[in-house]
Amino acid sequence: MASLSSGSPYRRRNDVEAGHWEDDYEDSPFHIPRTKTASVERLRRWRQAALVLDASRRFQYTLDIKKEEEKKKILEKIRAHVQAIRAAYVFSFKASAPTNARLRADLCFPLWKFIAFHPKPSGDFGIGRDELCTMMRDHDFYTLERIGGGGRGRGVNGVSDLLKTNVEKGILGDYADLLKRRNEFGSNNYPQPKGRSFWRFLWEACQDYTLIILVVAAVISLALGIRKEGIKRGWYDGAGITFAVIIIIVVTATSDYRQSLRFQNIIAEKRNIHLQVIRGGRRVEVSIFDVVVGDVVPLNIGDQVPADGILIIGHSLGIDESAMTGESKIVHKNSRLPFLLSGCKVADGCGTMLVTSVGINTEWGLLMASISEDTGEETPMQIRLNGIATFIGIVGVAGAIGVLVVLLIRFFTGHTKNPDGSIQFKRGKTIANDAANGTIKIISNSVGIVADAVDAVIKILSIMVTIVVVAVPEGLPLAVTLILAYSMRKMMADKALVRTLSACETMGSATTICSDKTGTLTLNQMTVLSTYIGGQKIDPPDSKSELPPMLSTLLIEGIAQNTNGSVFVPEGGEDLEVSGSPTEMAILIWGVKLGMNFDAVRSESTIIHVFPFNSEKKRGGTALHLPDSQVHIHWKGAAEIILALCTRYIDANDHILPMDEDKKLFFKQAIDDMAAGSLRCVAIAYRSYEIEKTPVDEEELTQWALPEDDLILLAIIGLKDPCRPGVKEVVRLCQNAGVKVRMITGDNLKTAKAIALECGILSSDENAREPYLIEGSVFRRYSEEERKAIAEDILVMGRSSPNDKLLLVQALQKRKHVVAVTGDGTNDAPALHEADVGLSMGIQGTEVAKESSDIVILDDNFASVVKVFRWGRSVYANIQKFIQFQLSVNVATIIINIVAAIFSGEVPLNTVQLLWVNLIMDTLGALALATEPPTDHLMHKPPVGHRAPLITNIMWRNLLIQTIYQASVVLVLAFRGRSLLGLQHQSAEHANKVNHTIMFNAFVLCQIFNEFNARQPDEKNIFKGITKNHWFMGIAAVEIILQFIIVEFNRKFTSTVGLNWKQWLISVAIGFMSWPLAFFGKLIPVPETPLLTETPLLKLFSRRFRRLRNYLRTICKSRSRDDL
C-alpha cells in the first residue's frame, strides 16, 4: 500500500531533478503518461472532463479519491495514537531517571524495578495475550523490566521464559506447538474487508442510464401495446427490450465480478511475504501469516517487521516507522527502546526480535482491518481511452439528437408509414395513444441507435419525457481493465507479480533496462574458486593443510562471526544447512571445508558491535570481545577496497609483515586476474583494538564507528557466479526489440566487463572502454549536463552505489527514455521508485525494494524480465485491437442509423438488435481480443512511445475499410433490399421483415468476421496462432450459435423471421467479404507519420464539454438560490 509508506525516506517525489516535469505534458486532461506520481488534482481533472453514464462502473477500477481521503484520516488518528504513546513514554522515562547515563545504569536504578511482576498465566503459557498487547501498545518498558522475577536485564529473557521459547534457538516449531500458540495468541492475519459480491456488481450494472431509459421505454411500450393489440401480441416489443436489458446486465456483472476476483487474488499474493524465523535452532523460511507468538525473527536491512515484538539483540538497528507514525525519521532501537511495531521497515543495521503480538492484536493489524486495500489505480491507457470515449460520446450526442429530431418531424408531418404503406400519423385523426406509442418507439429506436456503440446519457428535453441518448462507449476504458486483469494472471505464471497496474502498459514502451548482475544475469550460485592466503595462491582453495595455525584461527573467526548467515548441523549426520545470502553461504561452506565449527567458534567470543555490510562502502565489520580480554575487529568486503585499508598481512609462516608496494601490487594483480575470469573478489582482514577504548554504554556503542585503518590482510577470495543459461540470447532479443540492456553492478569493473562480454551486453573488447564501460565514482563526479550527455553510451557501470543507479535513471529519463530498472537492496528503493518501471527481485529482494517496485520478478531471472516486456507490448497491442474492432462497429452503426433516418424515416436495426450488437462489441469482443497471448512478432518491433497515437495509420486504414463496407451493405439492403433479394412478389409486411432480418444477420456476421481481422491489424494472415487462443475460438463459436438462435427461435422479441438456406448463405457471404477486403486493404501503404491523433480533438471537445457543463451548473445553482 503506497499510501502507508508515503513518509518513508526511501520514496522520492516527482520533481525536475528526477527528470519528470508535468509542464512538459500536453495540456489535455486525458494525457497523463506517469500516473503513479500524478497529483490527486490531476487525477480529479480527467474524471471531471470525461463524459460518463455509469460512474460507479466506469471508475470502479480507478483510484477512489474519496476513499483515499478517508483512509488518510484513519491513518492520522492511529499515527497520533502511536505518537502520543511515544511522547508519554519519553516524558516518564526522562522524569524518573538521572541525567548521567552511567549513574542511571549502575547506581540509581529505581528500587521498584527489582520488584518482580508476575503476570497471570494463560493456558500453557506464563503470560496472556491481553497483558502482552497492553505492554506493547503502551510501550511499557518498566513492566518489561520487571517480568520474570525482577532484577535488571531480565526483560526479554523473562518474556521468552513465559512464552516457552529460547532467544537463541526459538520455539520447537512442531505442529502441536504451533497449534497451541495460535489458539492462545491468535494467528498473524487480520479480518479482510469482504470483496464486493456478485449482487453488488449486478446492482451497479443496473445503474447505467441507457439501460434505465430503455426499461422505462419498454414498460410504456408494453402497456400501450397490450392496450392496442391485446395481451397475446402486444407484449412482445416491450418484453423483448426488457429481456435484452436483463441479459446485458447479467453478462456485464459477471464479467466485472470475474475481474474483481482476479484482482483480489493478486492482492493476496502481494501480502504473502516470506521471511526467516529461528525454530529448533535452525533458520526456516515461512509465510508472514505463519509467524506465531514466541518466534525469534532475524532482522536485516530492508526487512519488514512481521509482528509486534521485543528486541533481543541489535546492532545499529534503525527502524523506519513512517508507516505507523507518518514521520520519515529513522528510530534507532536498543535495550532501552526495544519495542518493534509490525509493518515497519528495517532501515539500517541488524538484529533479532521476539514476537509478542500478532494479527489483529497489533497496531498494524488494527490499521489494516480498519481500511480496505484499494485495488483502484488508473493507468495512462485508461485515461486516454476515457478521452476517446468522451470524444465519441460527444459525436454520438449530435447523431442521436439528429436522428431523434428527424424521426419526430417525419412522424408528426405524416411521413412515417406502416409496413402496409399507410401513414402512421394523420393530423387531427391519430388518436393520442397511437401518437404516444409511436413517439415511445421513436425514442426507443433513437436510444437503440447508439446503445451498442456508446452507452447513452439521457437528458430531459421537454416537460414530459423527451429523451436524448448520448452515445458513450463505456466498454472502451473498461476493456483495459479486462486486458490488464488477464495479463496480470498470466504474468504470474511467468514469474512476475504485478504490483502497479500501469507497469503492464509502461513495459511495452520501455526503451532501456538497467539490470543488476548478481542473480539476474547470473545464477546467484556462488562457489569459492580461487584464494590467496598467506601471501600466496592456495590451490585447491580449501586446502587447510597449507594454512598456518594463527592465520587459520583468525580467518575462521572472521568467517564465523562477521556474517549474517548461519550453519546448522542436523542430528543423525545429515547434510549441513547453510543460510544467508549466496555470497555468505559460499564463504561459510568454504569455512566449513577449512575445518570451521560454526557454533563453537561463535561461542568462544562475544560480539560487541556490528557494522552491517553497506552497499555504499562495500564492506561490513564486526568487533569481538575474546575471553583473554582482547578485542578483534574483522572486516569483509570488496577486495580492492579492503586491500587499500591494509598495512600488513600474515605470511605462510604466521608472521605479520608490512604491506610493501611489491606485495600490494602482487595482491592487486591477483584481484585483476580473478576479476578478468569473471570472479567476484572479496577480501577478509582484521585488526586488534585496545579494550580500554571500546565504548561501554549502549548509546555510545550505537554511535561507535568501527576502526578500519591499519588492517591486517587475512585472505582474498574469488567467487564464481556463472551466467544464467540462455541469457545471451535473451539479451540479443531485447536489443533486436529496440531495448538497450545496461548492467549496473557493485562488483569490480573488470568482473563486470567479463560478465558483460559473456552475456552479450558488450559485443567485443573494443566496446570495453569509456564511455561504454565506466565506474560509478567517475560517473557521479560528472556535472548534471555531462551525465545527461554520456548516459546514452553507458552499457556497463561497475563499483556503483545505489545513488549512481538513481543518477543514471534520471539522466536517461531526461533524454526521453522510458527506463526499467531492476534492484534488490534497500538502497535501490529510490531508483526503483523513480524509474518508469521498477522491477524488484522476489528471492534476494528486500521488502523495502519490493514495496518501491512496480513488478516483482519471482525467480530473479533476466529471462522473466524479458517476458514482462513481451506482456507489456501484448497489453498495448490487444488494446489497439479492441479499439479498432469497437470503433468500426460504433462508426458503422451511427452512419447507418443517421443516413437511414434522414432518407427513409426509420432505422434498419431496432433496439433489441442493437443491444445484441452492443453485447458482441463491448463484453464478448473485449474478452475475445483481451486473451490474445504475446507473440515473438511483438519483439521484432521498436518500443511504442508514450506520445504515440493509440489509433495508428494502419488502424485508421483497416477501420475505414470495414466501416465503409458494413455501412454500404446495410444501407443498400435498407433501400434496395426487396428488389436485390427477390422479395417483390411477397407481401410488403413479410418482405420488409425478411429484408430487415437479413440486414441484422449480415451486420452481426460482419462483426464476428471482423473480430478475426482485428486479431492481426498489420499481418495478412489473420489466422496465425489462432488455435492457441481457445478463448477466442470459443467466444466466436458462442456468438454464431446465439445469432442463429436469435434469428430462428427468438423471432417475436427481436422482430425477425426465419431465413431459408439461401438467405443464410447471402448473410454469411456478406460477412465473409470482410476477410478478403481486409487482406487486400493491407496492401495499401500508409505513411509512418501519424495523420490524425486523438490529442488535438480531445483538447477541443473536452474544453467545449467542460464549458457547457460549467454553464449548466451555474444555471442550476442560480435557480436553487432563487428558490430559497
Side-chain angles (χ1 to χ4, degrees):
M1 291 180 57
S3 61
L4 295 186
S5 57
S6 58
S8 172
Y10 306 111
R11 296 273 179 183
R12 284 178 60 88
R13 293 291 168 222
N14 191 21
D15 55 31
V16 174
E17 289 184 2
H20 291 289
W21 48 90
E22 293 197 355
D23 293 341
D24 188 41
Y25 300 151
E26 285 96 338
D27 183 24
S28 168
F30 300 111
H31 189 83
I32 308 179
R34 190 176 166 88
T35 54
K36 71 177 183 179
T37 55
S39 65
V40 173
E41 275 306 311
R42 193 167 176 83
L43 297 178
R44 186 179 280 116
R45 183 184 166 200
W46 80 258
R47 287 166 170 76
Q48 293 172 344
L51 187 61
V52 181
L53 295 176
D54 185 358
S56 62
R57 183 167 185 251
R58 175 76 77 87
F59 299 138
Q60 65 181 326
Y61 293 114
T62 59
L63 181 68
D64 190 330
I65 295 176
K66 185 178 180 181
K67 188 184 292 184
E68 195 72 12
E69 292 171 348
E70 292 174 356
K71 187 188 298 182
K72 287 180 181 178
K73 291 179 181 177
I74 295 173
L75 280 171
E76 288 171 2
K77 289 180 182 178
I78 295 178
R79 285 168 173 170
H81 173 67
V82 174
Q83 289 171 342
I85 291 172
R86 179 185 291 176
Y89 168 73
V90 171
F91 176 78
S92 63
F93 184 80
K94 288 184 177 180
S96 63
T99 55
N100 187 295
R102 198 172 292 276
L103 280 175
R104 181 174 71 246
D106 298 329
L107 302 176
C108 298
F109 200 80
L111 183 63
W112 63 267
K113 293 186 181 179
F114 290 93
I115 302 173
F117 171 70
H118 296 287
K120 183 179 179 181
S122 177
D124 293 336
F125 301 96
I127 189 171
R129 170 169 38 187
D130 293 341
E131 287 175 303
L132 282 171
C133 291
T134 302
M135 180 180 68
M136 289 301 305
R137 185 177 62 248
D138 297 340
H139 287 200
D140 193 345
F141 179 73
Y142 302 139
T143 299
L144 174 64
E145 284 290 295
R146 293 160 54 211
I147 283 178
R152 282 188 56 197
R154 284 295 293 163
V156 66
N157 293 303
V159 175
S160 68
D161 292 342
L162 295 175
L163 292 175
K164 296 186 177 180
T165 186
N166 185 288
V167 294
E168 293 181 356
K169 295 185 177 181
I171 62 175
L172 293 176
D174 56 19
Y175 177 77
D177 185 31
L178 294 174
L179 186 62
K180 278 194 298 185
R181 293 176 186 275
R182 289 195 183 100
N183 290 337
E184 187 62 41
F185 301 104
S187 57
N188 198 28
N189 47 41
Y190 44 85
Q192 297 291 330
K194 289 185 178 180
R196 288 183 294 182
S197 66
F198 173 76
W199 304 109
R200 175 73 180 274
F201 284 104
L202 201 66
W203 169 248
E204 289 180 354
C206 292
Q207 297 177 37
D208 190 315
Y209 293 149
T210 308
L211 303 182
I212 293 172
I213 296 168
L214 288 174
V215 169
V216 171
V219 170
I220 298 173
S221 179
L222 180 67
L224 295 175
I226 292 174
R227 181 176 180 181
K228 182 179 179 181
E229 300 183 30
I231 189 68
K232 290 186 177 181
R233 296 176 57 86
W235 64 281
Y236 290 135
D237 288 345
I241 296 173
T242 305
F243 183 67
V245 168
I246 291 172
I247 290 176
I248 287 180
I249 288 173
V250 172
V251 171
T252 299
T254 303
S255 175
D256 291 346
Y257 180 61
R258 284 174 56 84
Q259 290 180 53
S260 175
L261 292 178
R262 287 175 181 170
F263 283 125
Q264 287 178 25
N265 292 336
I266 291 169
I267 290 171
E269 188 65 32
K270 285 197 292 185
R271 291 197 190 102
N272 189 17
I273 298 169
H274 288 269
L275 68 153
Q276 287 190 334
V277 297
I278 300 173
R279 290 178 179 173
R282 70 173 71 181
R283 293 193 182 192
V284 294
E285 186 174 285
V286 300
S287 165
I288 192 171
F289 302 124
D290 295 330
V291 172
V292 296
V293 170
D295 263 328
V296 174
V297 182
L299 298 174
N300 294 300
I301 294 178
D303 288 347
Q304 176 173 312
V305 180
D308 283 1
I310 306 169
L311 181 67
I312 297 173
I313 187 169
H315 302 288
S316 305
L317 186 65
I319 301 295
D320 170 22
E321 294 186 347
S322 60
M324 294 303 300
T325 65
E327 299 176 356
S328 58
K329 182 181 177 181
I330 303 300
V331 180
H332 291 278
K333 298 293 181 177
N334 52 44
S335 62
R336 293 195 174 276
L337 289 172
F339 298 104
L340 298 167
L341 296 175
S342 175
C344 299
K345 304 293 188 299
V346 180
D348 195 16
C350 60
T352 55
M353 66 172 281
L354 174 67
V355 175
T356 56
S357 298
V358 293
I360 197 65
N361 301 310
T362 66
E363 293 281 355
W364 179 258
L366 289 171
L367 170 63
M368 297 303 290
S370 62
I371 59 177
S372 61
E373 181 85 26
D374 187 11
T375 59
E377 176 215 346
E378 44 259 77
T379 70
M381 188 75 74
Q382 270 181 315
I383 297 172
R384 290 178 72 181
L385 287 178
N386 270 282
I388 292 176
T390 298
F391 167 66
I392 297 172
I394 293 171
V395 173
V397 167
I401 293 174
V403 171
L404 182 64
V405 170
V406 169
L407 290 179
L408 286 173
I409 290 173
R410 290 182 66 92
F411 178 77
F412 287 108
T413 57
H415 288 82
T416 304
K417 297 181 180 181
N418 291 314
D420 59 3
S422 60
I423 297 173
Q424 287 188 2
F425 182 85
K426 295 179 182 179
R427 185 175 302 175
K429 295 182 179 180
T430 302
I431 59 174
N433 283 345
D434 290 341
N437 195 23
T439 303
I440 292 298
K441 287 183 178 179
I442 291 170
I443 293 172
S444 181
N445 283 331
S446 301
V447 173
I449 291 171
V450 289
D452 82 294
V454 285
D455 297 325
V457 172
I458 302 172
K459 289 187 179 180
I460 299 177
L461 300 179
S462 64
I463 299 175
M464 299 297 290
V465 183
T466 308
I467 303 169
V468 175
V469 178
V470 179
V472 179
E474 295 282 292
L476 199 56
L478 294 173
V480 181
T481 311
L482 179 64
I483 292 170
L484 289 174
Y486 173 80
S487 300
M488 288 169 69
R489 184 167 60 88
K490 289 294 185 180
M491 287 169 75
M492 182 77 75
D494 282 341
K495 305 299 181 184
L497 171 63
V498 178
R499 302 185 74 256
T500 307
L501 268 179
S502 58
C504 293
E505 298 171 7
T506 310
M507 278 301 283
S509 303
T511 58
T512 185
I513 179 168
C514 301
S515 173
D516 284 341
K517 174 184 75 69
T518 306
T520 307
L521 296 168
T522 62
L523 285 170
N524 213 9
Q525 297 174 357
M526 301 280 188
T527 51
V528 175
L529 219 62
S530 180
T531 56
Y532 285 79
I533 305 175
Q536 61 186 6
K537 184 174 183 178
I538 303 297
D539 193 16
D542 54 1
S543 177
K544 58 184 178 182
S545 60
E546 298 186 37
L547 303 185
M550 183 182 75
L551 176 56
S552 177
T553 301
L554 288 170
L555 181 60
I556 288 174
E557 180 182 87
I559 293 171
Q561 293 284 25
N562 189 19
T563 181
N564 272 333
S566 66
V567 178
F568 178 76
V569 183
E571 297 178 1
E574 297 178 18
D575 293 338
L576 295 175
E577 295 179 12
V578 182
S579 64
S581 70
T583 303
E584 296 276 15
M585 290 171 62
I587 295 174
L588 286 171
I589 291 171
W590 175 64
V592 171
K593 291 179 180 178
L594 293 178
M596 177 184 71
N597 185 324
F598 184 78
D599 291 332
V601 173
R602 288 181 72 90
S603 64
E604 289 171 358
S605 57
T606 304
I607 295 177
I608 303 172
H609 186 57
V610 174
F611 178 82
F613 180 84
N614 187 296
S615 56
E616 292 282 351
K617 291 193 171 185
K618 308 293 183 190
R619 58 189 179 274
T622 301
L624 306 176
H625 185 196
L626 276 64
D628 56 0
S629 297
Q630 291 188 66
V631 174
H632 284 176
I633 298 175
H634 286 272
W635 284 96
K636 178 176 66 182
E640 68 269 26
I641 294 176
I642 295 293
L643 180 62
L645 300 173
C646 293
T647 57
R648 292 174 289 173
Y649 73 99
I650 300 178
D651 69 2
N653 299 314
D654 262 352
H655 297 146
I656 299 177
L657 303 177
M659 183 79 71
D660 56 28
E661 284 301 317
D662 289 340
K663 207 62 186 177
K664 185 160 282 191
L665 284 174
F666 169 77
F667 286 126
K668 283 183 178 179
Q669 187 60 48
I671 293 170
D672 289 344
D673 291 343
M674 287 191 289
S678 70
L679 300 186
R680 168 177 280 188
C681 302
V682 176
I684 299 175
Y686 100 106
R687 63 161 292 171
S688 58
Y689 195 70
E690 299 83 355
I691 193 170
E692 297 81 11
K693 296 182 180 180
T694 306
V696 177
D697 185 76
E698 188 172 10
E699 292 182 8
E700 294 177 3
L701 265 177
T702 302
Q703 304 299 323
W704 184 36
L706 285 182
E708 54 184 14
D709 58 326
D710 196 25
L711 300 184
I712 301 171
L713 183 66
L714 298 177
I716 297 176
I717 308 165
L719 300 103
K720 179 67 175 178
D721 184 15
C723 285
R724 289 185 179 274
V727 71
K728 192 168 187 176
E729 290 72 22
V730 174
V731 169
R732 187 183 298 114
L733 182 65
C734 284
Q735 293 167 343
N736 293 338
V739 180
K740 185 175 282 189
V741 181
R742 309 170 198 269
M743 186 174 76
I744 305 176
T745 177
D747 272 350
N748 183 296
L749 193 59
K750 292 188 176 180
T751 304
K753 171 188 169 182
I755 294 292
L757 286 167
E758 194 175 342
C759 292
I761 295 173
L762 292 173
S763 57
S764 64
D765 282 321
E766 295 179 3
N767 290 337
R769 56 181 174 80
E770 285 197 27
Y772 307 108
L773 193 70
I774 194 170
E775 276 201 354
S777 58
V778 176
F779 180 72
R780 81 176 75 107
R781 284 198 296 267
Y782 286 136
S783 67
E784 185 177 333
E785 285 303 315
E786 288 173 328
R787 287 198 297 268
K788 181 180 175 182
I790 201 175
E792 186 69 42
D793 296 325
I794 294 173
L795 293 176
V796 177
M797 184 183 290
R799 283 289 178 244
S800 68
S801 69
N803 192 55
D804 298 331
K805 184 183 289 189
L806 177 62
L807 291 174
L808 180 60
V809 169
Q810 292 173 348
L812 290 169
Q813 287 175 330
K814 287 173 183 176
R815 293 184 66 96
K816 305 302 181 185
H817 277 286
V818 179
V819 185
V821 170
T822 69
D824 54 13
T826 300
N827 291 333
D828 287 327
L832 288 168
H833 183 67
E834 191 62 39
D836 296 283
V837 181
L839 301 127
S840 62
M841 300 296 109
I843 298 174
Q844 293 299 319
T846 64
E847 287 307 312
V848 169
K850 292 175 186 177
E851 274 209 357
S852 299
S853 67
D854 303 297
I855 298 174
V856 181
I857 305 300
L858 299 176
D859 61 353
D860 292 13
N861 192 343
F862 189 75
S864 298
V865 175
V866 177
K867 289 178 182 177
V868 174
F869 275 110
R870 285 160 55 95
W871 275 109
R873 295 190 177 192
S874 176
V875 165
Y876 196 91
N878 288 349
I879 290 170
Q880 286 188 313
K881 293 171 186 177
F882 180 68
I883 292 172
Q884 177 182 306
F885 173 67
Q886 187 174 50
L887 290 189
S888 64
V889 187
N890 274 36
V891 178
T893 305
I894 292 174
I895 292 173
I896 289 167
N897 285 283
I898 290 176
V899 173
I902 292 173
F903 292 101
S904 70
E906 61 179 15
V907 290
L909 304 177
N910 63 34
T911 304
V912 177
Q913 292 169 353
L914 284 174
L915 286 175
W916 167 234
V917 173
N918 184 67
L919 190 62
I920 293 176
M921 179 185 67
D922 268 358
T923 307
L924 297 178
L927 190 60
L929 295 171
T931 53
E932 281 292 320
T935 61
D936 292 335
H937 176 66
L938 295 170
M939 297 302 287
H940 297 155
K941 299 179 180 180
V944 179
H946 275 318
R947 300 169 187 270
L950 274 176
I951 308 176
T952 64
N953 290 347
I954 290 175
M955 293 169 64
W956 279 119
R957 178 195 63 194
N958 300 342
L959 189 154
L960 290 173
I961 289 172
Q962 295 299 324
T963 299
I964 293 170
Y965 169 69
Q966 292 174 16
S968 300
V969 167
V970 175
L971 289 173
V972 167
L973 290 175
F975 294 116
R976 293 288 182 268
R978 290 178 61 181
S979 59
L980 292 174
L981 298 172
L983 304 175
Q984 303 96 324
H985 305 296
Q986 299 181 15
S987 65
E989 184 177 358
H990 182 72
N992 282 336
K993 285 187 176 181
V994 172
N995 189 31
H996 278 81
T997 301
I998 292 175
M999 278 192 289
F1000 167 59
N1001 203 27
F1003 188 67
V1004 169
L1005 291 174
C1006 279
Q1007 311 319 317
I1008 296 173
F1009 279 93
N1010 195 31
E1011 271 184 341
F1012 288 80
N1013 293 329
R1015 285 189 65 252
Q1016 303 289 351
D1018 55 352
E1019 288 196 23
K1020 297 181 181 67
N1021 182 9
I1022 60 175
F1023 303 106
K1024 186 177 180 181
I1026 196 169
T1027 55
K1028 296 179 182 178
N1029 191 346
H1030 303 297
W1031 269 101
F1032 185 93
M1033 298 294 290
I1035 289 170
V1038 168
E1039 287 173 345
I1040 293 170
I1041 293 169
L1042 289 177
Q1043 177 63 18
F1044 181 80
I1045 293 172
I1046 287 170
V1047 170
E1048 297 295 333
F1049 302 104
N1050 196 27
R1051 304 173 188 175
K1052 299 290 186 182
F1053 297 108
T1054 55
S1055 301
T1056 58
V1057 295
L1059 302 178
N1060 58 40
W1061 68 271
K1062 289 182 180 180
Q1063 291 162 345
W1064 267 102
L1065 194 60
I1066 291 171
S1067 302
V1068 172
I1070 291 172
F1072 175 81
M1073 282 301 296
S1074 299
W1075 287 352
L1077 276 173
F1079 178 85
F1080 289 110
K1082 289 169 185 175
L1083 299 176
I1084 302 172
V1086 293
E1088 293 185 5
T1089 306
L1091 297 176
L1092 183 63
T1093 62
E1094 70 267 16
T1095 304
L1097 294 172
L1098 292 181
K1099 288 170 67 176
L1100 175 65
F1101 279 94
S1102 61
R1103 195 177 295 124
R1104 299 290 185 273
F1105 175 67
R1106 287 200 303 272
R1107 287 178 181 174
L1108 175 61
R1109 185 171 53 191
N1110 293 336
Y1111 174 70
L1112 293 174
R1113 284 177 177 171
T1114 305
I1115 292 175
C1116 292
K1117 288 180 180 178
S1118 62
R1119 286 186 177 178
S1120 63
R1121 284 196 297 267
D1122 293 342
D1123 292 340
L1124 292 174

